[in-house]
Structures are given as C-alpha cells and as structure tokens.
C-alpha cells in the first residue's frame, strides 16, 4: 500500500473530527450589510497525529485495510503505509472503522433543542406564512445536547433550517459541530445562506386550521408568487433610486436569492 499525499476526504476517529471544504466566497464578500453575523470560527491547534491499523472507507467506494492516517495542522496529509514518526502522537485503533464525516443537509438541531419544551422551540415563526426576514441562527441554542449525540454518530457539519410551518420560513445556516458559546463560533466560514421554503401540506395545515391563507395549494402558489413579485419590485426601486433605500430585512433575503447570493 502506497502513501497517498492528496487524500481529499474527511475522516473521523472517536471524537476527533476535521472538516475540509472549499467555499467559493469569503465572509467579507457575503452581504456587507450583515457583517455583524460573520463566522468567528477558528480551529483549535492540534499536534501531529498518526492513526494506525485502521479500516478506512474513503467515501469514493474504496476500502483500505490496515491503513495509517497522518494529520498535521488539522489536516489529513497522508494515508496508506506511513512510517512511524517519533514527533507524532500515535493512536492504534486496532482494526476499527474510519469513515468520512457526515454532513447533515437538513437539520433542526439547535432551533428545536432537547429536551423539547415550548419555551425553547424556536424553529417556526408561525405568525405569518411568509417570513424571509428571520434567520435560523438567531434561534440556535449552542448548548443543545443533540450536538454531542450527532457527533457520536459521525455528523461533523450540519445545515440548520427553520421549520416547515411557513411558505417561506427564513434563512438557513451551516454550522460546524464544535463547542462554542456563540453561534458565530460554529458558523462555517464562507458558507452561503439558504432559504427555507415549504411547498406542501404544512403551511395549508397550520394556517388553514386558523381559517386564513393559505388553506389550499392554490393559495400556497399565490403566496410564493406575491413574495417574489415584491422582491423584484424592491430590487427595481433600489436600482432606480439615487438614495439608499430604507432597509427591509425580508426583501434583502429574497433579493439575495434572486441575485444568487442566497441558495
């Protein structure tokens, strides 16, 4: 088995998790008007670690037996047959599996933390069917014990979304599964925001039970159409105006989607 110096995948061993993802934009390029909520995440310093005698699933279909993994400066730098390094901390996993870290692309951890109590169930702003102005990150409880359970199951990164009560529920955020007092300390640097939309029965159920729109699929579609028409009108007025328009958090989010800045 040869040493591969360009192994591109994330591996997890016990509670040691490292994530390597390339993002197309830096935080400073994302929405200058929202600089207050930039990521403050910084990886902890780590010693050189050599993991030996592992069964490795690479994530591309390959399975390596009795492989070693070398990690330097929080990155995987080699995998395969690696000579013992006297300067490295050696961990013999004795045939245990090492797999790529799991990225949960649809999570409500933090906004619906455990235990499930009404006082901290903050995932749905179910007061209006269109709420693009709210951000999931502002509801995340960073001490949610579900984070630790998810990490034990191999989840190293997760994308937190608002719930599905609304047609447009607000912004989603990508977080690293690390300990932090603030949500900014968990935010994945440079990861774009997303928009949560629920296109089915949940909005009809939530608002139809209150005898208000939307209670049918046609009202769902009408709600989406009106929201995007309003966003287009906002963008047009902003382009034509010689003065900076009054900020509108809902329209900033929707226009960000139309510009391709928010996914």
């Amino acid at each position: 088995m040869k040493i591969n110096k360009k192994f591109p995948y994330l591996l997890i061993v016990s509670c040691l998790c490292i994530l390597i993802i390339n993002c197309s934009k830096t935080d400073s390029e994302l929405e200058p008007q929202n600089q207050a909520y930039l990521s403050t995440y910084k990886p902890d310093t780590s010693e050189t670690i050599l993991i030996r005698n592992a069964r490795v699933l690479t994530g591309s279909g390959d399975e390596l037996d009795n492989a070693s993994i070398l990690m330097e400066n929080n990155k995987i730098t080699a995998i395969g047959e690696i000579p013992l390094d006297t300067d490295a901390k050696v961990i013999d996993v004795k045939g245990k599996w090492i797999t790529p870290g799991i990225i949960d692309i649809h999570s409500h951890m933090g906004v619906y933390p455990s235990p499930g109590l009404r006082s901290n169930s903050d995932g749905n702003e179910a007061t209006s069917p269109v709420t693009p102005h709210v951000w999931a990150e502002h509801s995340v409880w960073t001490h949610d014990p579900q984070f630790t359970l998810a990490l034990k199951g191999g989840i190293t990164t997760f994308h937190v979304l608002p719930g599905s009560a609304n047609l447009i529920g607000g912004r989603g955020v990508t977080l690293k599964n690390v300990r932090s007092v603030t949500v900014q300390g968990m935010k994945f640097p440079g990861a774009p925001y997303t928009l949560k939309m629920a296109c089915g029965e949940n909005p009809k159920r939530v608002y139809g039970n209150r005898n208000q729109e939307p209670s049918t699929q046609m009202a769902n579609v009408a709600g989406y159409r009106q929201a995007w028409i309003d966003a287009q009108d906002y963008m047009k007025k902003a382009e034509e105006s010689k003065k900076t328009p009054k900020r509108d958090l809902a329209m900033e989010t929707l226009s960000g989607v139309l510009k391709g800045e928010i996914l």
Side-chain angles (χ1 to χ4, degrees), residues 200-240:
E201 296 178 357
N202 278 343
K204 293 194 302 178
R205 172 181 53 81
V206 171
Y207 292 96
N209 287 340
R210 303 176 188 174
N211 293 319
Q212 68 179 90
E213 288 189 7
S215 64
T216 62
Q217 185 64 23
M218 56 186 172
N220 278 357
V221 175
Y224 304 136
R225 293 179 64 200
Q226 190 60 58
W228 296 116
I229 289 170
D230 291 345
Q232 289 177 318
D233 186 54
Y234 175 83
M235 292 173 63
K236 182 178 179 181
K237 289 180 179 178
E239 292 173 358
E240 294 175 349

Side-chain angles (χ1 to χ4, degrees), residues 35-259:
Q35 296 294 307
Y37 304 112
L38 297 182
S39 170
T40 59
Y41 166 79
K42 292 183 179 179
D44 293 333
T45 56
S46 176
E47 59 189 319
T48 300
I49 298 174
L50 178 64
I51 300 169
R52 304 186 65 218
N53 299 319
R55 298 183 69 183
V56 179
L57 290 178
T58 65
S60 62
D62 295 326
E63 179 180 330
L64 308 178
D65 291 325
N66 297 317
S68 294
I69 301 167
L70 181 64
M71 290 178 284
E72 301 171 295
N73 298 320
N74 290 310
K75 292 184 178 180
I76 298 168
T77 57
I79 182 170
E81 294 180 357
I82 304 172
L84 283 175
D85 186 340
T86 56
D87 295 328
K89 177 181 178 180
V90 178
I91 301 175
D92 189 340
V93 297
K94 299 178 181 179
K96 292 182 179 179
W97 291 96
I98 299 179
T99 72
I102 298 170
I103 301 174
D104 183 352
I105 63 172
H106 187 137
S107 177
H108 297 301
M109 290 191 297
V111 297
Y112 283 113
S114 180
L117 302 173
R118 179 64 188 91
S119 59
N120 60 5
S121 295
D122 290 329
N124 273 310
E125 183 54 48
T127 55
S128 171
V130 179
T131 57
H133 58 291
V134 301
W135 298 16
E137 67 190 77
H138 297 150
S139 282
V140 170
W141 184 42
T142 60
H143 302 294
D144 186 352
Q146 294 177 114
F147 297 157
T148 301
L149 293 175
L151 189 60
K152 290 180 179 179
I155 295 175
T156 56
T157 301
F158 50 100
H159 187 69
V160 181
L161 294 162
S164 300
N166 297 344
L167 298 173
I168 298 177
R171 296 195 190 195
V173 63
T174 302
L175 303 178
K176 286 176 170 284
N177 200 352
V178 296
R179 291 182 179 273
S180 176
V181 175
T182 67
V183 70
Q184 285 85 3
M186 299 176 70
K187 288 180 72 172
F188 200 109
Y193 287 109
T194 61
L195 182 68
K196 172 63 180 290
M197 295 179 64
C199 305
E201 296 178 357
N202 278 343
K204 293 194 302 178
R205 172 181 53 81
V206 171
Y207 292 96
N209 287 340
R210 303 176 188 174
N211 293 319
Q212 68 179 90
E213 288 189 7
S215 64
T216 62
Q217 185 64 23
M218 56 186 172
N220 278 357
V221 175
Y224 304 136
R225 293 179 64 200
Q226 190 60 58
W228 296 116
I229 289 170
D230 291 345
Q232 289 177 318
D233 186 54
Y234 175 83
M235 292 173 63
K236 182 178 179 181
K237 289 180 179 178
E239 292 173 358
E240 294 175 349
S241 176
K242 295 181 180 180
K243 298 181 180 180
T244 302
K246 180 181 178 180
R247 290 189 65 183
D248 184 314
L249 295 180
M251 293 299 104
E252 283 181 8
T253 293
L254 294 181
S255 61
V257 174
L258 294 177
K259 293 175 183 177

